[in-house]
Amino acid sequence: MARTIQSLERAAAVLRLLAGGERRLGLSDISSAIGLAKGTTHGILRTLQQEGFVEQEPASGRYQLGAELLRLGNSYLDVHELRARALVWTDDLARSSGESAYLGVLHQQGVLIVHHVFRPDDSRQVLEVGAMHPLYSTALGKVLCAYDPVAHSEVAEVAREPLTPHTVTGADAFETTLELTRARGWAADVEETWEGVASVAAPVHDRRRMPVGAVGITGAVERVCQEGVVRPEIVAAVRDCARAVSRDLGAGRF
């Protein structure tokens, strides 16, 4: 039997520990749990931190999983599997909402549309699979930025140019938008990307409860909103769809 590499085994033990139980752990907690001296444990954590697999909270000094690990984890879930799991539910979403349904994933510094269901009417429409949408102004993008640390770091490098008079471009205002998205579980774009167009989106999670995409609808403001506010029945339909896809990916109930 081939010999294993002890340092890698120890690093894996640290990552497994941080992946379960408490969200953040201190050095003493980690060294005690894996049965190593503090100095050895600190060396492992420092190396993992340099590679982006672990992050340290400045205020408390506690450790948590890093964004680079999330990036690698996301690549484990093939986009084709995500799309396959979402096919039936996005069809249902388009029918129930009467609007176009989209499934998007993070790609570089934008949202890649990997599935698009046409609005269920006889209007002329263009398939947008493969299109790139902005991270900072669309509902799909806001959801990804709110739940995915990698997307959040990517959007920080994007010049948030105003696409319409309603686009949120300021750093503080954008962070407030993301906080609101996390608090209510969905995001909206009311004429922030295209004038006269509104969208609503919610996050899709995998079996590890990690964000792997976003699902949503897009349509004319007068249909999606009422008196400037997104219709609650549309929000409910989008969130139900996102939960259904997440359950099919093994995420369980949210």
Side-chain angles (χ1 to χ4, degrees):
M1 183 176 177
R3 294 177 61 187
T4 58
I5 301 175
Q6 189 180 58
S7 59
L8 291 180
E9 288 182 330
R10 290 173 171 178
V14 170
L15 294 175
R16 290 194 188 98
L17 181 64
L18 292 175
E22 294 292 331
R23 179 176 171 80
R24 299 181 180 88
L25 293 172
L27 175 60
S28 297
D29 299 322
I30 297 171
S31 63
S32 175
I34 63 177
L36 292 175
K38 285 186 179 180
T40 303
T41 304
H42 184 256
I44 294 171
L45 287 166
R46 187 171 62 248
T47 302
L48 291 172
Q49 188 176 1
Q50 289 173 350
E51 296 299 323
F53 296 144
V54 164
E55 295 174 355
Q56 186 177 27
E57 189 178 53
S60 67
R62 291 176 174 268
Y63 294 89
Q64 63 182 12
L65 294 180
E68 184 61 25
L69 191 65
L70 180 60
R71 187 194 297 272
L72 293 177
N74 283 351
S75 68
Y76 178 81
L77 178 69
D78 193 283
V79 167
H80 296 297
E81 180 185 354
L82 174 60
R83 181 179 179 276
R85 299 288 185 178
L87 287 176
V88 172
W89 301 113
T90 47
D91 281 347
D92 288 346
L93 176 59
R95 280 194 295 268
S96 64
S97 66
E99 304 295 346
S100 299
Y102 295 86
L103 178 68
V105 298
L106 174 66
H107 181 67
Q108 297 175 351
Q109 294 181 328
V111 182
L112 175 65
I113 303 302
V114 297
H115 186 52
H116 174 200
V117 182
F118 284 162
R119 185 171 63 254
D121 60 20
D122 296 326
S123 63
R124 183 177 179 180
Q125 301 174 61
V126 177
L127 187 65
E128 292 192 52
V129 173
M132 291 289 292
H133 289 186
L135 263 180
Y136 64 94
S137 62
T138 60
L140 292 171
K142 292 176 188 177
V143 164
L144 292 174
C145 291
Y147 288 91
D148 184 344
V150 177
H152 189 271
S153 64
E154 292 287 358
V155 81
E157 301 177 6
V158 175
R160 290 189 285 272
E161 300 292 340
L163 303 176
T164 75
H166 306 283
T167 308
V168 176
T169 58
D172 291 343
F174 185 71
E175 289 300 323
T176 298
T177 298
L178 298 187
E179 290 175 8
L180 177 61
T181 298
R182 287 187 288 268
R184 63 188 185 183
W186 57 276
D189 158 15
V190 180
E191 297 190 278
E192 291 185 51
T193 308
W194 303 281
E195 291 194 47
V197 176
S199 60
V200 181
V204 173
H205 295 81
D206 68 2
R207 63 185 176 280
R208 296 156 297 163
R209 299 296 182 94
M210 289 186 172
V212 292
V215 66
I217 62 92
T218 296
V221 171
E222 59 268 22
R223 296 194 305 268
V224 177
C225 301
Q226 185 174 26
E227 297 181 355
V229 178
V230 177
R231 295 177 181 271
E233 63 270 23
I234 288 182
V235 172
V238 169
R239 297 193 70 190
D240 286 347
C241 177
R243 291 192 189 101
V245 178
S246 298
R247 284 197 300 270
D248 276 4
L249 290 171
R253 291 187 64 86
F254 271 81

